[in-house]
Amino acid sequence: MAAGDAFLRARGRTLTAFRPDDEYQWKGPFYFIQGADPQFGLIKAWAVGDTNNGDDEWGEEIKLAEQAVQAINKLNPKPKFFVLCGDLIHGMPGTQWRKAQERDLKNVLKNADQDIPLVFVSGNHDVGNTPTRETIDDYCKSWGDDYFSFWVGGVFFLVLNSQLYFDSSQCPELKQAQDVWLNEQLAVAEKHKCKHIIVFQHIPLFLREPDEDHDYFNLENSVRQEIMEKFHKAGIKAVFSGHYHRNAGGSYRGLEMVVSSAVGCQLGEDTHGLRVVVVTDDKIVHRYYSLNELSSQGIEKELLDMLAEQN
């Protein structure tokens, strides 16, 4: 497979790395890796206090992304996939350093083990805080579809463009299209009686409490309530996101909201890291590892033992 194709596997609203007919059936426990916000350029921009134009260096992010890829490549058994939950780069659509940041991130990611598919989720820096048809089209040309679904071992995964929930004022028809598509996908999941449904999106529904106030880091309350209710009714077990550059999370009526800190710039007390997510017959278990910890020690025995169980 050509390296370039690894970035464009999300096509036709599905992920071509997995054949649905092979993946509808539960085949026992597996795991995947979730990362978020490599965001090439933010460390410098944050340090100089200029998040609009200060992103002209990203050497530190390159090293962190390389460390993440090397840590994942060493894991045994291999994860089923590696999902990056948005803000791949810092440069907003149309800004000066965007293309160079994108090129350098792809140069790092093309060294990922080709047996571990890459799954990309669009963030606000990828499509803009107020996305347009043009900014979303540009994202799709580089990274594949902005929303899609795929099956792995009897588990149904949904990747959403959360920016359409944050501000779709410039492309209301695209939000409507995602809503229609999502309802269709949830009907498919019900028909196939999947083991679990898991969602990936950049912006968390909420950070800690389902009824917390709306701010930059979560979705507006009425939008959030509607999505949470829809997800709860559909039996979705977990939503994994990034955006906050810190670890957080909570739950709503059996739906777990998992907020993972960044591979790149930290805005709190957490370390650069990745989340290991183990999917078993009856539950989803996850742990956030620092890059240093995952590189040097790998996955702890407790999680490996869960993978070895036959159900």
Side-chain angles (χ1 to χ4, degrees):
M1 183 191 68
D5 298 343
F7 305 115
L8 296 173
R9 283 170 150 173
R11 280 282 176 259
R13 301 294 176 209
T14 190
L15 193 70
T16 58
F18 298 105
R19 290 165 49 93
D21 292 350
D22 299 336
E23 300 292 345
Y24 285 138
Q25 298 304 313
W26 174 252
K27 303 186 186 102
F30 64 87
Y31 82 105
F32 61 87
I33 302 291
Q34 183 220 4
D37 302 272
Q39 204 159 340
F40 280 27
L42 178 58
I43 292 176
K44 163 84 186 304
W46 193 261
V48 300
D50 181 0
T51 54
N52 291 326
N53 303 299
D55 59 328
D56 59 343
E57 291 176 18
W58 49 90
E60 209 172 327
E61 285 95 340
I62 289 175
K63 285 185 190 143
L64 291 163
E66 285 174 344
Q67 189 182 1
V69 166
Q70 287 160 7
I72 292 168
N73 284 350
K74 284 199 297 194
L75 294 172
N76 184 24
K78 292 179 202 278
K80 286 286 189 182
F81 58 86
F82 171 31
V83 57
L84 270 172
C85 280
D87 281 2
L88 307 174
I89 54 173
H90 183 69
M92 286 280 188
T95 57
Q96 184 176 1
W97 307 107
R98 182 178 173 91
K99 285 283 172 237
Q101 290 168 0
E102 210 168 76
R103 181 197 65 220
D104 286 353
L105 177 58
K106 286 186 173 182
N107 280 337
V108 173
L109 292 175
K110 70 186 183 192
N111 294 315
D113 185 328
Q114 294 202 357
D115 292 334
I116 304 171
L118 301 169
V119 181
F120 299 107
V121 181
S122 65
N124 56 304
H125 283 263
D126 305 310
V127 298
N129 283 324
T130 304
T132 65
R133 184 175 282 279
E134 289 71 34
T135 65
I136 291 174
D137 282 349
D138 282 347
Y139 169 84
C140 295
K141 282 178 193 141
S142 285
W143 302 103
D145 286 352
D146 59 323
Y147 59 90
F148 55 96
S149 64
F150 61 100
W151 290 81
V152 176
V155 177
F156 193 45
F157 293 92
L158 293 160
V159 171
L160 299 179
N161 180 347
S162 56
Q163 217 54 37
L164 295 174
Y165 296 127
F166 194 85
D167 183 357
S168 63
S169 57
Q170 297 301 305
C171 53
E173 75 286 359
L174 297 185
K175 178 191 181 289
Q176 190 180 2
Q178 178 172 251
D179 286 343
V180 168
W181 173 87
L182 177 57
N183 290 337
E184 290 168 352
Q185 295 303 301
L186 294 175
V188 166
E190 186 175 27
K191 187 180 93 179
H192 280 284
K193 300 282 181 269
C194 55
K195 187 66 77 173
H196 306 288
I197 311 173
I198 295 173
V199 171
F200 300 120
Q201 60 185 57
H202 178 61
I203 301 179
L205 298 170
F206 56 90
L207 298 175
R208 303 201 184 276
E209 301 294 337
D211 58 353
E212 69 196 19
D213 290 344
H214 167 54
D215 67 17
Y216 175 77
F217 288 113
N218 60 20
L219 292 181
E220 192 272 321
N221 292 69
S222 62
V223 174
R224 178 196 316 166
Q225 189 60 43
E226 188 182 328
I227 296 170
M228 289 191 308
E229 216 25 64
K230 180 183 285 193
F231 285 4
H232 166 68
K233 282 189 179 139
I236 291 172
K237 292 277 179 66
V239 176
F240 289 87
S241 69
H243 189 50
Y244 192 43
H245 294 255
R246 286 153 281 209
N247 286 310
S251 65
Y252 172 81
R253 301 180 69 189
L255 167 71
E256 187 179 9
M257 181 68 245
V258 184
V259 184
S260 294
S261 196
V263 172
C265 186
Q266 300 300 308
L267 300 182
E269 302 300 310
D270 294 294
T271 50
H272 310 282
L274 294 165
R275 193 172 293 277
V276 173
V277 185
V278 176
V279 183
T280 76
D281 181 56
D282 60 344
K283 58 186 183 287
I284 295 154
V285 182
H286 51 87
R287 187 181 151 206
Y288 185 85
Y289 287 82
S290 74
L291 295 181
N292 289 339
E293 191 182 6
L294 198 59
S295 299
S296 60
Q297 296 167 31
I299 300 172
E300 68 202 82
K301 185 175 185 304
E302 185 186 353
L303 295 183
L304 290 172
D305 286 348
M306 285 182 188
L307 291 171
E309 287 171 17
Q310 294 302 314
N311 14 74

